[in-house]
Amino acid sequence: MKTKTIFFGLFFLISINFVSAQDKKNTQSIISTTATIKKYHDLKELQSFKKGELLDLYIERINVLVKTLPYIALATKPGVTLDDLGIPNDNDNRKTLSEQDKITNEFLETTVAFQRKMTPYSDTKNLIAAILFYENTLKALHEFNEM
């Protein structure tokens, strides 16, 4: 019985070490892979949406912009890693990227909470205009990438 306990204990420790060693080798994307828009819309289409649907689109675009704009000097598409850009994939750079991701997510949580409370009071025309503006900005980022 003691032999089985010792064996499983050692196996468990080796497994944990193996999993944590793999985490160090994985590289995190500079722009979150969730920073994508499902579909772009035109004015006529947006005018047919209810305000709740418009609010969801508005928040989705804010998320994508916040997760993309600060990094356009490095990349404009999700999935680009430190290795892809030739940036040393050392502990300091991974830690910096991880901290930035955490802070960005905290900012987005606060921003989304604010938007969900305040934006329903906005004029629907302004909300539609903002969505179209954000979409045009994101389209311009794709063009920027092709330069």
Side-chain angles (χ1 to χ4, degrees):
M1 187 68 165
K2 283 186 177 182
T3 309
K4 287 183 181 178
T5 305
I6 291 171
F7 174 76
F8 285 118
L10 285 172
F11 177 76
F12 181 73
L13 288 174
I14 291 170
S15 297
I16 289 174
N17 190 30
F18 181 74
V19 170
S20 66
Q22 285 184 339
D23 287 342
K24 293 176 186 173
K25 293 178 184 175
N26 290 340
T27 57
Q28 183 180 0
S29 177
I30 291 173
I31 296 176
S32 173
T33 54
T34 62
T36 58
I37 289 192
K38 298 170 192 153
K39 181 183 177 197
Y40 290 96
H41 302 279
D42 61 21
L43 176 61
K44 191 172 185 176
E45 191 177 9
L46 290 173
Q47 288 172 334
S48 70
F49 287 3
K50 295 179 183 176
K51 199 168 203 175
E53 294 171 305
L54 292 171
L55 179 61
D56 290 340
L57 289 175
Y58 181 71
I59 289 171
E60 179 185 43
R61 277 128 188 86
I62 289 172
N63 274 297
V64 172
L65 285 167
V66 168
K67 290 179 179 182
T68 305
L69 284 178
Y71 312 105
I72 62 172
L74 295 169
T76 58
K77 292 183 179 180
V80 177
T81 64
L82 295 172
D83 291 332
D84 295 334
L85 298 173
I87 299 172
N89 190 7
D90 58 25
N91 192 38
D92 287 341
N93 288 339
R94 285 192 306 269
K95 183 178 178 184
T96 299
L97 191 57
S98 180
E99 287 174 1
Q100 179 66 18
D101 185 53
K102 178 183 171 199
I103 291 166
T104 298
N105 287 330
E106 290 171 359
F107 169 77
L108 281 170
E109 286 176 20
T110 304
T111 300
V112 168
F114 173 83
Q115 296 300 336
R116 292 217 180 271
K117 285 185 180 187
M118 297 298 181
T119 306
Y121 296 104
S122 70
D123 183 53
T124 303
K125 290 180 182 180
N126 290 341
L127 190 55
I128 290 171
I131 291 168
L132 291 172
F133 175 78
Y134 287 163
E135 287 186 1
N136 284 330
T137 302
L138 290 164
K139 288 176 187 175
L141 277 174
H142 295 299
E143 292 171 11
F144 175 83
N145 188 46
E146 294 174 8
M147 291 180 148

